[in-house]
Amino acid sequence: MDRGAWICVAYGTVSVSLVMFNKAVFSYFHFGFPLSLFVIQMVLSLSILVVLQATGRINLPKLEWSVARQLAPMSICWWLYGFSGVVALQHLNVPMFSATRRLTPMIVMLGERLFLGRSPPLLQFLAGLAMCLSATAASLTDITGTATGYFWVLVCVAATAGYLLLIAKLGKPAGLSEVGLLFYNNLIALPFMLSTWWFSSESSNVLQDPALESPLFVVFFFVAAGQALLLNYMIFLCTLVNSPLATSITGNIKDMVTTSLGLFVFGDVVFTAPNMLSVVAGLLAAAWYSYLKYRQGQEAKSLRNEREKAKELQERSETAQPESEPLLEDP
């Protein structure tokens, strides 16, 4: 596999792990403070970046107001994506959370059409539409989810799509590395997250949660928090090296994995025939969509290689042609 494919695999693996650890924090340990988890994830991410800078492992960019203002929309989308995701996981089981998030590729396709001028092929559009319909059917036949959970997962879907599109639109023009973007992203979003946390009831009640007395919970909590930094880095890397849609497709595939794991790991899924049929239909639509995107990528790669070969042959033929000698005039 090429570098872009390996980045997609790494992003998907980290994302699956983070969802499962976050859900374990809420389901196994009954931790009822999702905003606190996200605040710690952000603070820990910034702390790790600062430590790496102090030890000479990375170089963080200088803070510039013009750059921060340019990246603010992207950071706000990431803030909404992050905290809405952890809140939704508290109210929904993993299969329903993952099924609803499969609405993201369709929104990304529409966003790329509006803002980047890219139109998807008909079959990709139909596959995205099939994912939307199956996600809607799954939510309507879910007997365990709550309206609060579905509200927040829909916010997460919209924010994720906006985040991916803005990385492509604002990330490269900002002239920052993936680490630099990660640093600005956390720094800009932190005041919004701290304000949300402070004015909620969590700030005064979180230290009273009995889960904090469990050493195993502390391990799970900080593993989940630590993975957030790696996930955000992989999202930047995947989007900048590949494309927003490639990141969305990888997210779609990892949602297939988390759906399958979530059906059995946490014991909070109530199996009904209509709901399971909707989930399976969504998985099949996601597989079809991912295959179409993979085939499109392979075709584009082959076409690019053919053009490069044709250009190389043309340059060789032009170099091989002898220069015509000037005619000698008669004395």
Side-chain angles (χ1 to χ4, degrees):
M1 292 191 296
D2 59 14
R3 179 170 178 256
W6 279 114
I7 290 171
C8 286
V9 171
Y11 159 55
T13 302
V14 174
S15 186
V16 169
S17 178
L18 180 60
V19 169
M20 301 305 286
F21 269 90
N22 280 347
K23 184 60 178 177
V25 166
F26 299 130
S27 293
Y28 280 155
F29 300 101
H30 305 290
F31 185 68
F33 302 94
L35 299 184
S36 300
L37 173 62
F38 193 48
V39 166
I40 295 299
Q41 287 177 343
M42 294 180 68
V43 172
L44 185 60
S45 295
L46 281 171
S47 300
I48 292 173
L49 290 174
V50 171
V51 170
L52 291 174
Q53 163 83 353
T55 56
R57 300 296 180 89
I58 61 172
N59 291 316
L60 295 178
K62 294 181 179 179
L63 295 178
E64 298 181 16
W65 172 247
S66 59
V67 176
R69 185 172 53 189
Q70 179 182 353
L71 296 178
M74 180 188 71
S75 299
I76 291 173
C77 280
W78 175 74
W79 162 61
L80 286 171
Y81 149 67
F83 96 79
S84 61
V86 293
V87 173
L89 267 177
Q90 189 183 24
H91 296 277
L92 299 176
N93 58 48
V94 171
M96 292 303 100
F97 175 79
S98 300
T100 310
R101 278 177 55 84
R102 279 194 283 275
L103 296 170
T104 304
M106 177 60 77
I107 299 179
V108 171
M109 281 192 284
L110 295 175
E112 287 193 336
R113 177 69 181 87
L114 291 173
F115 302 114
L116 302 179
R118 302 174 187 167
S119 297
L122 177 60
L123 286 180
Q124 287 181 25
F125 177 80
L126 292 176
L129 183 61
M131 285 192 291
C132 289
L133 293 175
S134 61
T136 302
S139 62
L140 291 175
T141 55
D142 177 24
I143 62 175
T144 61
T146 65
T148 300
Y150 279 107
F151 169 79
W152 284 113
V153 77
L154 289 175
V155 172
C156 184
V157 166
T160 302
Y163 182 46
L164 296 178
L165 291 167
L166 288 172
I167 289 175
K169 189 174 181 63
L170 303 178
K172 289 182 180 179
L176 299 173
S177 66
E178 291 84 3
V179 173
L181 287 171
L182 186 61
F183 178 63
Y184 266 96
N185 208 38
N186 279 273
L187 203 60
I188 295 170
L190 184 59
F192 294 97
M193 191 61 237
L194 285 175
S195 299
T196 305
W197 175 78
W198 181 258
F199 289 108
S200 71
S201 60
E202 290 196 18
S203 58
S204 57
N205 297 323
V206 63
L207 295 179
Q208 301 172 13
D209 195 290
L212 296 175
E213 300 175 2
S214 169
L216 185 60
F217 166 77
V218 174
V219 171
F220 269 69
F221 186 91
F222 280 99
V223 168
Q227 287 183 110
L229 173 65
L230 185 57
L231 175 63
N232 290 323
Y233 175 75
M234 295 310 303
I235 290 174
F236 277 124
L237 192 61
C238 190
T239 304
L240 294 175
V241 172
N242 297 303
S243 69
L245 202 51
T247 307
S248 179
I249 292 164
T250 306
N252 186 51
I253 295 173
K254 65 90 179 172
D255 282 344
M256 295 167 61
V257 176
T258 54
T259 297
S260 303
L261 292 173
L263 286 172
F264 308 102
V265 171
F266 298 106
D268 56 353
V269 177
V270 177
F271 293 89
T272 64
N275 188 247
M276 288 300 102
L277 286 174
S278 300
V279 170
V280 171
L283 292 174
L284 293 175
W288 179 33
Y289 180 80
S290 300
Y291 167 73
L292 292 173
K293 283 304 300 177
Y294 173 77
R295 191 174 68 177
Q296 182 189 34
Q298 292 298 106
E299 291 173 353
K301 185 177 180 180
S302 299
L303 182 61
R304 188 166 56 250
N305 290 338
E306 289 177 2
R307 288 176 177 173
E308 290 177 355
K309 288 181 181 179
K311 184 178 179 180
E312 183 179 351
L313 288 173
Q314 183 179 2
E315 290 176 351
R316 286 181 179 179
S317 63
E318 291 176 353
T319 304
Q321 289 179 357
E323 296 183 0
S324 58
E325 296 181 357
L327 296 177
L328 296 176
E329 297 182 356
D330 292 334

